[in-house]
Amino acid sequence: MPPFTVLHVCMGNICRSPMAERLLALAVRERLTRRGLDPAGADGLVHSHSAGTGGWHAGEEMNPPAARQVTARGGDVEGFAARKLRSDHIDAADLVLTATADQQEYVVALRPDAAARTFVLGEFGRLLGAVDTAGLPPAEATPDAVHARGVALVAAAHDARRGATPLAADDLDDPWGRGDQCFSRVADEIEETVQPLAAALLP
């Protein structure tokens, strides 16, 4: 069984989605550490990666102020290289988290069958609060168990959004070209979703 795979999407893949990618990976490592388990096995349980709808920054490193936010919070920026979103990235993802509603629409237009597992990141964070995690599969730190729990969590979040009204506040501001204060606020907003997600997968 492959790891539970989360794909983060923004426009250029150098600011918002890389921060989300690496901050989710950090949150999973922290959950494993709390359970007395080896955090080196985090990527085998939850694979967090990212891509951009634009693609013009392909091959570039993370934008420096974004990288500063990740490292200041204990995350790792090594080995990151921006890339353009492809259909096979979406096909392989169990959960797609986009920075904005426009990018959510882009993903779903590219792969309509991904609609039920594609959310704006802030929207997914809100919906997590409506999910009864007691009804999810057992929370064991094995690839099979985390994958099954994650897939069930995504399905429950999709059920919770039926009839719900999307909020403009779910979108992440684009911090590119702005100061560290803006990047810090966006990173805080990302953590408001990825930390509860990691906690739901590995309580």
Side-chain angles (χ1 to χ4, degrees), residues 9-86:
V9 177
C10 70
M11 184 178 295
N13 193 215
I14 57 170
C15 296
R16 291 168 292 181
S17 59
M19 286 195 291
E21 170 191 326
R22 296 304 172 98
L23 290 173
L24 175 58
L26 171 63
V28 173
R29 289 198 301 273
E30 290 174 340
R31 298 303 302 181
L32 290 175
T33 299
R34 286 181 194 174
R35 294 178 65 160
L37 300 171
D38 184 359
D43 194 58
L45 298 175
V46 179
H47 178 51
S48 180
H49 65 137
S50 63
T53 58
W56 49 82
H57 293 289
E60 292 184 18
E61 296 180 348
M62 199 181 303
N63 194 235
R68 284 196 292 272
Q69 289 301 319
V70 173
T71 55
R73 294 159 197 256
D76 178 19
V77 299
E78 290 300 314
F80 179 82
R83 60 185 185 167
K84 179 171 174 55
L85 179 68
R86 300 194 314 255

Side-chain angles (χ1 to χ4, degrees), residues 46-164:
V46 179
H47 178 51
S48 180
H49 65 137
S50 63
T53 58
W56 49 82
H57 293 289
E60 292 184 18
E61 296 180 348
M62 199 181 303
N63 194 235
R68 284 196 292 272
Q69 289 301 319
V70 173
T71 55
R73 294 159 197 256
D76 178 19
V77 299
E78 290 300 314
F80 179 82
R83 60 185 185 167
K84 179 171 174 55
L85 179 68
R86 300 194 314 255
S87 297
D88 59 298
H89 297 148
I90 302 169
D91 293 342
D94 299 298
L95 170 62
V96 182
L97 296 175
T98 68
T100 68
D102 286 347
Q103 289 146 13
Q104 180 189 32
E105 291 172 4
Y106 182 100
V107 169
V108 174
L110 201 58
R111 277 291 185 261
D113 61 345
R117 51 192 166 89
T118 302
F119 301 78
V120 178
L121 185 135
E123 171 195 31
F124 190 76
R126 285 191 299 105
L127 293 171
L128 279 177
V131 173
D132 179 10
T133 55
L136 299 178
E140 300 172 7
T142 65
D144 286 1
V146 172
H147 188 271
R149 189 173 174 88
V151 169
L153 179 67
V154 171
H158 178 59
D159 287 343
R161 74 172 161 183
R162 294 181 191 277

